[in-house]
Each structure stands twice: as structure tokens, then as C-alpha cells.
Amino acid sequence: MTSSFSLPMAGDPEPIDIPALSAEVRELAAQRDAVILAHNYQVPEVQDVADYVGDSLGLSQRAAAVDNAVIAFCGVHFMAETASILCPGKTVLIPDLDAGCSLADSITVPELEAWQAEHPGAITVMYVNTTAAIKALTDYCCTSSNAVNVVEHIRREHGEDVEILFGPDMFLGAYVQKTTGHRNMHVWSGECHVHAGIRPSDISEVRAAHPGADFLIHPECGCVTSVMEYVAAGDVDAEGVHMLSTGGMLDYAQEAEREHAGGTVIVATETGMLYPMRKAAPDVTFIPANRAASCRYMKMITLPKLRDALRDLSPEVKVAPDLAAKALVPIERMVAIGPRRD
Ligand code: 13P
Ligand code: SF4
């Protein structure tokens, strides 16, 4: 597994002419019959130029539904791969091929094969943050917005005692295990370097500075287990704690603008998420649990690179057909099982 501290964090962006580049991008998108899909962690100017901004599940669902010939995917590599698997006839572009994911790198094919050999007959559930090769060995994919629903679905289909291998994120795995109460579940010890870096001490400090604020926590965070313990011990009021995917956080923001204008909310996830939340709820104060939680991979996607990708129809992400056919099965199951909104 990769260390939480040896991987790149976001650097300072180059100055760019955002209005001119945005106009160029929109014009090229129209010429290429391209739809621009962007993840919630993308830089603001990329979110603003996109046709759709969302979480991993929403982006997969949107990729599967669009009619355009080209999908320009502003996110990380496994997300573009997922779009390519769902839409084999389309050209899927990613503005920077190096936009990877430390969580996807935390399990390899030989590691998963060895794990499965130790547990024959177990159902394998992998977070969507995995490579296509891992998905091809997987029974169900899930995202942070439907992981609990996926495990509950498997229990209904295969019985309460079904053995489940869940990976690669250990914090999401612990959260799912606790929420579903499923005992026969083994969790891989992988992590995302950005979310693992949001520690219980961050939560204690920010809680002390903003007593009474609500907490929104992405289930990949390194503080998840301790927050669940605070809630169980009665130290934190369960009412104000929400474990949410990035899409769930945005839904929360929209509701908070109507119900809690003037309130303060602590957000434990990658800091790019604050931009769409502040846009959706200008009268609510959103505070990052850890200001350094920035994903350098997500920030590799820039407007100039998006413009170049649309102009050159490159770099393209294309999954080999035999691999794609196998990986499609767990992805389609994931897309069919809807999000959870706590
Ligand atoms: P979401 O599915 O919540 O958007 O999370 C994706 C991701 O990569 C989190 O780091
Ligand atoms: Fe991967 Fe973490 Fe970046 Fe999300 S924030 S893309 S899980 S490295």
C-alpha cells in the first residue's frame, strides 16, 4: 500500500484566460459532438464549463445515458475507463492520462486473485476506484453513494451469512460493515492518500473551533471510524453527522440553503468539493476539515488540457473489448443500484 504522505498534493496553477478558454472549449465541444462530464473535485473553471458535474455514480449513469459521439471526461483515469466500458462505441477523452488515483493503485490483480483464492465462493465487491482489470474480477462495483445498498442487495440475493470481500478502501469498508452489521465481510486495507490524511485530530480541532456545526464526512476519510465512535459514545450528536458521497454533500448543500441559511457546516473530503457547495448554498458557511486535502490527480485536469483534448481528440481512454465485457457486469450492477441519501 502507498504511504499517505509520499504522494503528490495540488500545486499552484498557471495563470490562464478563463473566459477565452471556456468559450473555445464550448465551441470545440459543439464541433466534436462532445459532452463534458466533470467530477465534483475538479477545479472551478472546469466545473463551470462542463455539461454535467457529479459524483462517481452520477457520472457513470450520465455517461451510460448520453447520445454524444464523444465524452470528454474531467476526472481521474478509472472514471474515464468506466465510461469507456459503459459506452464502447464512443470516444472517451481524458485531458491528462497521468490523472491516476492512489486508491485504485492500492490493489493489484495478483493481490486480488490471491485474496479470492483464500475465500472461494465469496462475493467480491470493489469500490469503483479500481482499474478495469480489477473490475473484471469483481462481482459488484459500488461507489460511496451506494456501497451500503450494494451490500444489502447482496445479502437479500445470497443470504444473510454470505461471505463478502470488500475493497480496496478500508475506511469505506469499516463504515459499510458498521452500517449494515454484516459480520462475514473481509475488508482490504487500501486507502486514498487525500482522505486518509483527514485524521481524527482534524475533527477534534475543527469541532472545538465550531461547536454545534454539522459534519459532512466522505466515507473514505481516515476520521470515519473515530467519528462513528464519537457518535456511539454520545460525544457528537448523531443528528448533525452525515456520511455522504460527494453527490450526497451537494444535495445536503441545496437543502441547507433552504433550511439552515446562516449555519456552519464542516466538510471532510477533498477541498474541491467546497466550490460546488458554496455555489449551491451561498448563505451557508462551509469549512474544510483539513485545508491540505487536495487531490493533485484531480487537479491535473485544466482548461488548456481540456481544450487540447477536444481539438486533437486525444488522449483517448479505451478498454480492450474482452476486458471491457467482463468489467461491464459489476459496473452495470452498480449503476442499477441507486444512491443512499442519509
Ligand atoms: P464520489 O463517488 O463520492 O464522488 O467519490 C469519488 C472519489 O474519488 C472520492 O475521492
Ligand atoms: Fe483517488 Fe483519493 Fe484522488 Fe479520489 S481523492 S481520485 S480516491 S486519490
Side-chain angles (χ1 to χ4, degrees):
M1 195 203 316
T2 326
S3 148
S4 302
F5 304 103
S6 62
L7 284 154
M9 304 295 271
D12 292 330
E14 300 270 316
I16 53 170
D17 182 348
I18 292 174
L21 274 161
S22 304
E24 221 182 319
V25 162
R26 287 308 329 166
E27 197 174 323
L28 280 162
Q31 281 169 20
R32 299 300 195 191
D33 186 23
V35 64
I36 301 173
L37 304 183
H39 189 263
N40 286 315
Y41 297 160
Q42 290 292 294
V43 293
E45 59 273 19
V46 168
Q47 295 196 25
D48 287 344
V49 86
D51 294 291
Y52 174 78
V53 182
D55 66 6
S56 304
L57 184 64
L59 290 166
S60 301
Q61 288 169 328
R62 191 55 70 109
V66 293
D67 292 329
N68 305 68
V70 175
I71 297 174
F73 210 109
C74 299
V76 292
H77 194 267
F78 76 81
M79 295 179 176
E81 257 188 354
T82 305
S84 163
I85 293 163
L86 282 163
C87 317
K90 295 186 195 300
T91 300
V92 178
L93 305 173
I94 186 162
D96 191 327
L97 273 174
D98 289 333
C101 170
S102 59
L103 182 52
D105 289 342
S106 67
I107 190 163
T108 64
V109 166
E111 285 171 337
L112 178 54
E113 282 172 339
W115 201 29
Q116 289 174 326
E118 281 168 28
H119 300 276
I123 302 285
T124 301
V125 181
M126 284 285 137
Y127 197 32
V128 72
N129 297 42
T130 45
T131 62
I134 292 289
K135 290 185 175 84
L137 295 171
T138 294
D139 296 301
Y140 287 82
C141 286
C142 68
T143 72
S144 53
S145 73
N146 71 355
V148 168
N149 292 12
V150 167
V151 169
E152 283 169 350
H153 170 89
I154 293 168
R155 288 172 58 140
R156 280 195 301 277
E157 293 286 306
H158 298 270
E160 293 288 299
D161 297 327
V162 60
E163 186 176 23
I164 295 176
L165 303 182
F166 189 99
D169 190 85
M170 60 180 165
F171 299 110
L172 178 67
Y175 165 69
V176 170
Q177 211 163 15
K178 179 127 187 161
T179 309
T180 60
H182 192 63
R183 289 204 197 113
N184 200 5
M185 184 165 146
H186 311 276
V187 177
W188 190 254
S189 60
E191 64 177 29
C192 149
H193 72 293
V194 178
H195 286 88
I198 303 177
R199 305 304 309 163
S201 56
D202 294 322
I203 298 299
S204 314
E205 278 166 32
V206 82
R207 255 182 78 204
H210 303 280
D214 268 12
F215 272 106
L216 308 190
I217 302 174
H218 195 280
E220 282 175 27
C221 289
C223 60
V224 160
T225 318
S226 62
V227 172
M228 285 191 297
E229 278 160 13
Y230 293 150
V231 170
D235 292 347
V236 170
D237 184 0
E239 281 284 297
V241 177
H242 306 269
M243 300 283 177
L244 295 170
S245 71
T246 63
M249 288 184 180
L250 201 51
D251 290 348
Y252 172 98
Q254 278 152 1
E255 196 183 316
E257 181 66 7
R258 293 190 299 271
E259 313 280 335
H260 308 290
T264 299
V265 179
I266 297 159
V267 182
T269 193
E270 206 272 352
T271 53
M273 191 63 222
L274 294 168
Y275 176 70
M277 294 181 86
R278 287 175 178 154
K279 216 166 131 177
D283 299 318
V284 176
T285 304
F286 295 103
I287 295 171
N290 180 333
R291 287 177 200 283
S294 177
C295 176
R296 166 85 181 266
Y297 299 117
M298 284 282 182
K299 276 36 174 189
M300 283 177 176
I301 309 303
T302 61
L303 271 186
K305 289 184 202 172
L306 174 58
R307 182 264 325 269
D308 294 351
L310 286 165
R311 185 193 58 210
D312 305 339
L313 287 180
S314 171
E316 187 179 353
V317 173
K318 187 113 198 122
V319 179
D322 51 338
L323 191 63
K326 289 184 194 145
L328 182 62
V329 176
I331 295 173
E332 282 192 329
R333 288 175 177 160
M334 169 191 85
V335 169
I337 297 173
R340 181 186 179 91
R341 296 287 185 248
D342 287 325

